Amino acid sequence: MGLFTRRSQTTDIQDGANTAVATLEVDPALAALTGDYVIDAAHSSIGFTVRHAMVTNVRGSFTDYAGTLQLDGSDPARSAASLEVKVASVDTGIADRDGHLRSGDFFDTEAFPLMTFRSTQAAQLGGDEYRITGELTIKDVTRPLSIDLEFNGSATDVYGNERVGFEGSAEILRSDWGLTWNAALEAGGVMVSDKVKLTFDISAIKQA
């Protein structure tokens, strides 16, 4: 069942003709999820994967970020999300590589400390699958980004917090945001691929 609604069929009889009308019936339990949420960074992750030297993948994450969700259980199209990431928190497990990513070759974190996402549209694709579209800003370059999400459910934790969970992914070309550094390989190809896969595993707490 989807996060927000389930579809039922009714029959409308007008002038002797049967007309099938699709209506949206709101599930009370899911509608109760409507509200404002804050992302719980301690139980969430924002990661990325990029091909290195044409043969292997390097994985990393950002460890310092904050975000909000506004969920509308009656009309998912009115839901929204925002996210701010401190880019200097990038962590690939290798200190030298992380330092290079923070430098002017890549993120230039001293001049551009934040990466942000602001949603402009939300849509249910079917079942528990959703797509949120918005604007991703890196190094003062803003471009559209769509993130496909799966709703993982809701629960009340042991501290009485009402939580929702989502996981999702998107692919970008880093060059679209001015991240163009690279090095040619002797055997052909480049050191770092242009394509980057972003991953999101989000737990958010409902605000009173």
Side-chain angles (χ1 to χ4, degrees):
M1 177 177 295
L3 167 59
F4 301 110
T5 55
R6 60 186 179 188
R7 186 175 296 277
S8 62
Q9 298 292 326
T10 62
T11 300
D12 184 19
I13 302 176
Q14 296 180 346
D15 299 329
N18 291 339
T19 303
V21 178
T23 63
L24 289 175
E25 177 186 344
V26 177
D27 186 306
L30 298 180
L33 299 179
T34 296
D36 296 330
Y37 293 75
V38 171
I39 293 175
D40 177 12
H43 296 92
S44 302
S45 65
I46 298 174
F48 60 88
T49 303
V50 61
R51 185 64 59 88
H52 176 261
M54 308 295 292
V55 296
T56 189
N57 289 319
V58 168
R59 293 175 173 83
S61 64
F62 297 95
T63 60
D64 193 350
Y65 52 88
T68 61
L69 305 176
Q70 295 84 43
L71 302 184
D72 189 321
S74 299
D75 183 0
R78 297 176 61 185
S79 297
S82 65
L83 182 67
E84 288 192 351
V85 178
K86 293 185 178 180
V87 188
S89 70
V90 64
D91 182 6
T92 65
I94 303 294
D96 287 347
R97 182 166 58 208
D98 295 342
H100 191 196
L101 289 172
R102 296 184 187 107
S103 75
D105 283 344
F106 286 95
F107 289 113
D108 194 1
T109 59
E110 289 190 8
F112 307 101
L114 291 179
M115 172 171 60
T116 65
F117 176 79
R118 301 284 185 271
S119 69
T120 56
Q121 183 179 3
Q124 183 176 8
L125 303 181
D128 290 328
E129 305 295 326
Y130 297 84
R131 177 171 294 151
I132 188 162
T133 300
E135 296 181 335
L136 175 66
T137 300
I138 305 173
K139 297 179 71 172
D140 281 354
V141 176
T142 301
R143 295 182 61 88
L145 175 69
S146 292
I147 305 170
D148 288 338
L149 295 165
E150 180 179 359
F151 174 56
N152 286 338
S154 62
T156 301
D157 66 22
V158 295
Y159 302 105
N161 297 312
E162 295 181 55
R163 292 179 178 268
V164 293
F166 294 89
E167 61 181 315
S169 63
E171 287 189 352
I172 66 171
L173 298 178
R174 61 188 178 90
S175 60
D176 287 343
W177 282 267
L179 301 173
T180 57
W181 182 91
N182 228 320
L185 301 174
E186 290 185 6
V190 293
M191 181 69 72
V192 185
S193 72
D194 194 17
K195 182 188 296 183
V196 180
K197 181 178 180 180
L198 305 176
T199 57
F200 306 87
D201 197 343
I202 300 299
S203 178
I205 298 174
K206 192 174 187 179
Q207 302 302 286

